[in-house]
Amino acid sequence: MRILTGIQPSGQLHIGNYFGAIKPAVELQTRGDCTYFIADYHSMTSLTDAAARRQNTLDVALDWLACGLDPRKNVLFRQSDVPEVCELMWILGTLTPMGLLERAHSYKDKTAKGLSPNFGLFAYPVLMAADILLYDTNLVPVGRDQKQHVEMTRDIAIKFNHTYGETFVVPEPEIRDETAVVPGLDGQKMSKSYGNTLPIFGEEKAVRKLIMSIVMDSRTPQEPKPDADKNLAIQLLRLVAPVEVAADYENRLRAGGLGYGDLKKALFEYYWTFFAPYRAKRAELAANLDYVHDVLRDGAARARTTSADVLDRARKACGLS
Ligand code: ADP
Ligand code: TRP
């Protein structure tokens, strides 16, 4: 089985990325051939700072490796190191109905938020389809927000196969219910573009401040809180603390007597401890950037062995060679 996912180098990675994408991807290492890439072409639809893109790309590689991705078992590469994906994007684009792209949530959400739409943002799902189809991918682990994109990939693959003959593997998304949508510090979906994130590798002081500033309601500590399970700090605590600890805090909040300040302090402590081993590993890697560059170079070379075959198959199928 071939497993593939990508992550954009558009800012500091957050715990939504960790629980929605990195952790599942790391666990999948035992289930098949995994290919993970840093979607730097995609990041161009929202980020126009070249130095930031370069730095973010390296940071994302460090983050993946620090969080347990084993580059001997898996392929980790930078999307633009295999530029053939752009050729496949064109091929697929000629079979992609405008209506399909107009219905894309990511496009609709971003334009609604005032991002001026460019062709790249509109074509984003076609590039994503090319990413997935270029590696004969069976399974795509993603957060729920990407489900529609994987469904579009399926539609495009089916249409190509129907038009030009069986060429592409039709992939399935894999979405985990328990971490499908990690809430951000304001209760909306945690996202780099909403400025509501808890970084995986933030500075201690800054993260403590972020957590302590989570807005709660004005009920006194003594008041029972029947809606304790919906409390944002409880929801985040469930991700980073042992199950029984999170349940205990939830029960204490429900019964009354636990103040929000104490709850947030506990959340910080469990968050900090949870990521401690990854933080240590990241520091080690950051001191050896040559190794990280080697991993990416080697990853691109290995990715190409599959992409060259698949692109050749696609070109032949549609009469380009
Ligand atoms: P962002 O929304 O912060 O820009 P990306 O779109 O780059 O994040 O997402 C990278 C990966 O992380 C995707 O698989 C996405 O589904 C997952 N992801 C992002 N935010 C969350 C979240 N809040 N909860 C769960 N998964 C998420
Ligand atoms: N669109 C994804 C996101 O923002 C990133 C991505 C690009 C991706 N290409 C992909 C994810 C291919 C999975 C498969 O999260």
Side-chain angles (χ1 to χ4, degrees):
M1 180 158 72
R2 286 179 185 268
I3 300 162
L4 171 138
T5 198
I7 205 156
Q8 291 193 62
S10 51
Q12 210 179 18
L13 291 195
H14 53 77
I15 68 167
N17 298 138
Y18 178 76
F19 289 103
I22 302 180
K23 183 166 179 269
V26 167
E27 286 169 6
L28 282 168
Q29 293 183 119
T30 53
R31 272 179 52 197
D33 291 335
C34 297
T35 299
Y36 300 131
F37 68 94
I38 304 166
D40 56 350
Y41 281 144
H42 278 102
S43 73
M44 298 182 76
T45 60
S46 59
L47 179 75
T48 52
D49 179 336
R53 184 170 359 269
R54 215 167 275 124
Q55 183 60 46
N56 291 344
T57 300
L58 196 58
D59 280 341
V60 172
L62 281 168
D63 291 350
W64 275 99
L65 294 168
C67 290
L69 184 131
D70 180 348
R72 285 162 308 183
K73 276 201 225 141
N74 308 291
V75 173
L76 175 67
F77 73 102
R78 180 203 323 242
Q79 184 183 30
S80 63
D81 282 343
V82 186
E84 292 87 336
V85 74
C86 294
E87 180 176 353
L88 185 57
M89 174 187 158
W90 173 257
I91 294 173
L92 300 176
T94 60
L95 289 178
T96 307
M98 291 288 283
L100 187 74
L101 298 179
E102 277 158 4
R103 284 194 297 278
H105 298 310
S106 63
Y107 173 72
K108 287 200 290 193
D109 292 351
K110 286 187 179 152
T111 43
K113 285 204 154 51
L115 256 173
S116 84
N118 51 49
F119 167 75
L121 188 64
F122 191 63
Y124 186 111
V126 190
L127 181 57
M128 184 154 160
D131 288 327
I132 296 171
L133 301 180
L134 191 57
Y135 300 98
D136 280 344
T137 306
N138 305 104
L139 200 68
V140 187
V142 279
R144 176 150 300 145
D145 60 317
Q146 296 297 317
K147 182 167 183 256
Q148 190 195 33
H149 285 153
V150 181
E151 281 163 358
M152 291 169 126
T153 301
R154 290 173 55 86
D155 289 348
I156 296 171
I158 291 168
K159 181 138 184 222
F160 188 101
N161 289 348
H162 184 74
T163 309
Y164 292 118
E166 278 309 308
T167 304
F168 293 118
V169 173
V170 181
E172 298 281 343
E174 178 167 276
I175 294 157
R176 298 195 172 189
D177 275 343
E178 72 278 15
T179 52
V181 181
V182 175
L185 299 178
D186 57 358
Q188 290 190 78
K189 172 192 126 85
M190 186 176 289
S191 171
K192 279 168 247 150
S193 32
Y194 304 159
N196 62 357
T197 64
L198 199 54
I200 308 176
F201 295 111
E203 292 287 328
E204 184 170 357
K205 248 187 160 167
V207 177
R208 192 191 295 274
K209 202 167 150 202
L210 275 178
I211 291 182
M212 296 312 290
S213 67
I214 298 177
V215 178
M216 302 260 144
D217 56 56
S218 56
R219 285 176 288 181
T220 63
Q222 283 67 35
E223 261 178 89
K225 303 184 179 62
D227 53 353
D229 59 319
K230 306 220 167 49
N231 179 282
L232 186 56
I234 293 288
Q235 289 182 44
L236 295 173
L237 192 64
R238 280 200 204 113
L239 298 171
V240 291
V243 188
E244 59 289 357
V245 172
D248 181 49
Y249 274 95
E250 186 181 327
N251 290 336
R252 284 166 58 198
L253 193 66
R254 185 172 294 110
L258 172 67
Y260 289 139
D262 288 338
L263 173 60
K264 290 192 269 186
K265 269 188 207 143
L267 172 60
F268 173 77
E269 294 305 330
Y270 281 102
Y271 153 87
W272 196 250
T273 308
F274 184 93
F275 288 108
Y278 306 139
R279 211 174 297 124
K281 176 86 192 188
R282 196 180 191 285
E284 215 175 276
L285 290 161
N288 189 4
L289 290 181
D290 285 350
Y291 166 77
V292 180
H293 287 297
D294 282 351
V295 165
L296 292 178
R297 212 176 358 249
D298 174 59
R302 284 158 65 201
R304 266 216 163 94
T305 58
T306 312
S307 68
D309 282 352
V310 179
L311 187 60
D312 188 49
R313 206 193 300 149
R315 289 176 57 97
K316 285 201 174 103
C318 57
L320 291 172
S321 64

